[in-house]
Amino acid sequence: MSHNEKRHSDAERAQVRRQQVLDAAAICFKRSGFHGASMSEISKAAGMSAGHIYNYFDSKDAIIAAFVEQNVERVTAILRDLEQRADPLMGLVDDTENSVTDHVESDRIALRLEIWAEASRNPAIAAVVRDADLRSRTHFRAVLKNARELRQLDASDATVDGLMEAVIALFHGLHVRAIHNPDAARPAIVASVRNALRAMLFS
Amino acid sequence: MSHNEKRHSDAERAQVRRQQVLDAAAICFKRSGFHGASMSEISKAAGMSAGHIYNYFDSKDAIIAAFVEQNVERVTAILRDLEQRADPLMGLVDDTENSVTDHVESDRIALRLEIWAEASRNPAIAAVVRDADLRSRTHFRAVLKNARELRQLDASDATVDGLMEAVIALFHGLHVRAIHNPDAARPAIVASVRNALRAMLFS
């Protein structure tokens, strides 16, 4: 094995270990809540010694930050796909069924609700969540501005920012609805969300 | 003091004490989370002996149930007001500014997020939250069906239920947005939410 190959495989192994910790932490947070889960419980669930986990994350806050970062990457991928389209606004409307399904069926719901609850009382987590949200909004704003200019719609920052908040609220709210009414029939929700998106994006 | 007056004042006193416990619990849950806050911490914050609190609530779950019930009462009041209007659909659209403000400025956000997070991992709390949501939706469905029949719009259960989920998602999501972007400018959000509501309610 060459020096480069070894370095590559070390980095890969570290990446696998990090993900192992994140998977274990997701289970522990879901079971005991952010406050109830300890670093030693998480390391145990990850099959590591209590000390070993600190090679990857130095606190529960760092684990939360990693989850939040994974969500930024997920949003970035969606926005990159969208900005490749000839008409990103129509793309968002056309994707309604997939995006509704993704939000009500997501296996990230419990974890996101836990992070939001923690952000509402813990300033360090609030800062992490807000910074990530700002970066995703900056990207989303650029996509929306270009797409609206293309269609000669009002693309001012104020209008686009309000639009963006309302669109994101709708999707965040679908996570919350999945907790309240998990058996709600999907097709009529999709139809209403599509009407809402079309009205907001094209006004 | 007559017997009746005394009974009345006992009931009032109990009501005041219950509210005292709820106010203290809201502070403790916000500080330590549902799991972190103990009944003894809550009784202390309410200025009661540890045993006294059990006269009003026999568990933290019962306290959560009382918060959820207060929200049902809040929703009931809004729906009663709405069903008095000549055109409840237009009433909802006209009220957008107030309802957006109420959801992004609410002092109940941290508590609601905590309850939702708890509902996503605790089946007892999930049952409480779902039962309350079902009752509010039953009322909201009746209001929407009547209002849509009045305007000769599709008032079938399937359509109205999908519409209802999307409308509630939008408002629940505004609570979540307040955590992520507390300084978002309100007027453009109101304009977008109004567009969304109009499109959903009148389709």
Side-chain angles (χ1 to χ4, degrees):
Chain A
M1 196 187 267
S2 76
H3 182 67
N4 268 347
E5 272 167 344
K6 180 168 183 325
R7 209 166 51 195
H8 188 61
S9 110
D10 282 355
E12 269 175 2
R13 195 156 44 227
Q15 189 50 43
V16 169
R17 291 302 205 131
R18 268 179 67 91
Q19 192 54 51
Q20 229 170 299
V21 174
L22 292 177
D23 293 344
I27 292 166
C28 295
F29 289 156
K30 179 159 187 177
R31 188 169 52 209
S32 319
F34 177 79
H35 278 265
S38 66
M39 283 293 267
S40 90
E41 184 189 341
I42 296 168
S43 61
K44 208 168 168 183
M48 285 179 188
S49 71
H52 195 185
I53 196 172
Y54 290 95
N55 293 331
Y56 304 102
F57 296 100
D58 61 10
S59 65
K60 285 194 286 180
D61 284 16
I63 293 177
I64 292 285
F67 283 127
V68 170
E69 208 51 42
Q70 288 188 333
N71 196 61
V72 171
E73 286 162 18
R74 205 184 52 83
V75 173
T76 300
I78 293 169
L79 292 173
R80 286 215 175 117
D81 170 69
L82 211 56
E83 62 196 347
Q84 309 296 322
R85 317 264 190 106
D87 185 342
L89 298 185
M90 199 48 89
L92 269 166
V93 174
D94 289 342
D95 288 352
T96 306
E97 187 167 352
N98 281 337
S99 40
V100 169
T101 300
D102 182 51
H103 281 81
V104 297
E105 284 183 358
S106 167
D107 54 11
R108 307 176 310 275
I109 295 177
L111 188 58
R112 297 199 85 186
L113 288 172
E114 185 65 28
I115 292 172
W116 296 340
E118 186 61 21
S120 75
R121 66 173 161 254
N122 177 338
I125 299 295
V128 166
V129 158
R130 284 173 195 172
D131 169 71
D133 192 70
L134 176 61
R135 285 180 286 134
S136 290
R137 275 188 285 123
T138 303
H139 190 176
F140 193 18
R141 183 191 294 117
V143 174
L144 286 176
K145 281 177 84 89
N146 284 336
R148 287 175 65 91
E149 275 162 11
L150 207 74
R151 280 188 162 263
Q152 301 184 292
L153 292 160
D154 173 3
S156 66
D157 281 2
T159 298
V160 170
D161 282 0
L163 164 61
M164 204 159 54
E165 282 301 316
V167 169
I168 305 173
L170 187 49
F171 285 113
H172 279 172
L174 287 170
H175 278 326
V176 179
R177 293 309 303 157
I179 301 295
H180 288 83
N181 190 8
D183 302 323
R186 195 76 47 81
I189 301 176
V190 170
S192 268
V193 170
R194 191 182 288 119
N195 287 334
L197 288 177
R198 197 185 285 120
M200 292 191 281
L201 294 168
F202 291 101
S203 294
Chain B
M1 194 187 266
S2 77
H3 184 66
N4 268 347
E5 272 168 346
K6 181 169 182 323
R7 208 166 50 191
H8 187 60
S9 109
D10 281 356
E12 268 175 4
R13 196 156 43 228
Q15 189 51 42
V16 168
R17 289 304 204 130
R18 267 178 67 89
Q19 192 54 51
Q20 229 171 298
V21 174
L22 292 177
D23 293 344
I27 293 167
C28 294
F29 289 156
K30 180 160 185 178
R31 187 168 54 208
S32 319
F34 177 79
H35 277 265
S38 66
M39 283 294 268
S40 91
E41 184 189 341
I42 297 168
S43 62
K44 207 167 168 183
M48 285 180 189
S49 71
H52 195 184
I53 195 173
Y54 290 96
N55 294 332
Y56 303 102
F57 298 100
D58 61 11
S59 64
K60 285 194 286 180
D61 285 16
I63 293 177
I64 292 284
F67 283 128
V68 170
E69 208 49 43
Q70 288 186 334
N71 196 60
V72 170
E73 286 162 18
R74 204 183 53 82
V75 172
T76 299
I78 293 169
L79 292 174
R80 286 217 174 115
D81 171 67
L82 211 56
E83 62 196 346
Q84 309 296 321
R85 317 266 189 103
D87 185 343
L89 298 185
M90 198 49 90
L92 268 165
V93 174
D94 290 342
D95 288 352
T96 305
E97 187 168 352
N98 281 336
S99 39
V100 169
T101 300
D102 183 51
H103 280 81
V104 297
E105 284 183 359
S106 167
D107 54 11
R108 306 176 309 275
I109 295 177
L111 188 58
R112 296 199 84 185
L113 287 172
E114 185 64 29
I115 293 172
W116 296 340
E118 187 60 22
S120 74
R121 65 173 161 254
N122 177 337
I125 299 297
V128 165
V129 158
R130 285 174 193 170
D131 169 72
D133 192 68
L134 176 61
R135 284 181 286 133
S136 290
R137 275 187 285 123
T138 303
H139 190 176
F140 192 19
R141 182 190 295 116
V143 175
L144 286 176
K145 280 177 86 89
N146 284 337
R148 286 175 66 90
E149 275 161 12
L150 207 73
R151 280 187 160 265
Q152 301 184 293
L153 292 160
D154 173 3
S156 65
D157 280 2
T159 297
V160 170
D161 282 0
L163 164 60
M164 203 160 53
E165 281 301 316
V167 169
I168 305 172
L170 187 49
F171 286 113
H172 278 173
L174 287 170
H175 277 326
V176 179
R177 292 309 304 156
I179 300 296
H180 289 82
N181 190 8
D183 302 322
R186 196 77 44 82
I189 301 177
V190 171
S192 268
V193 171
R194 191 183 288 119
N195 287 335
L197 288 177
R198 196 186 286 119
M200 292 191 280
L201 295 168
F202 291 101
S203 294

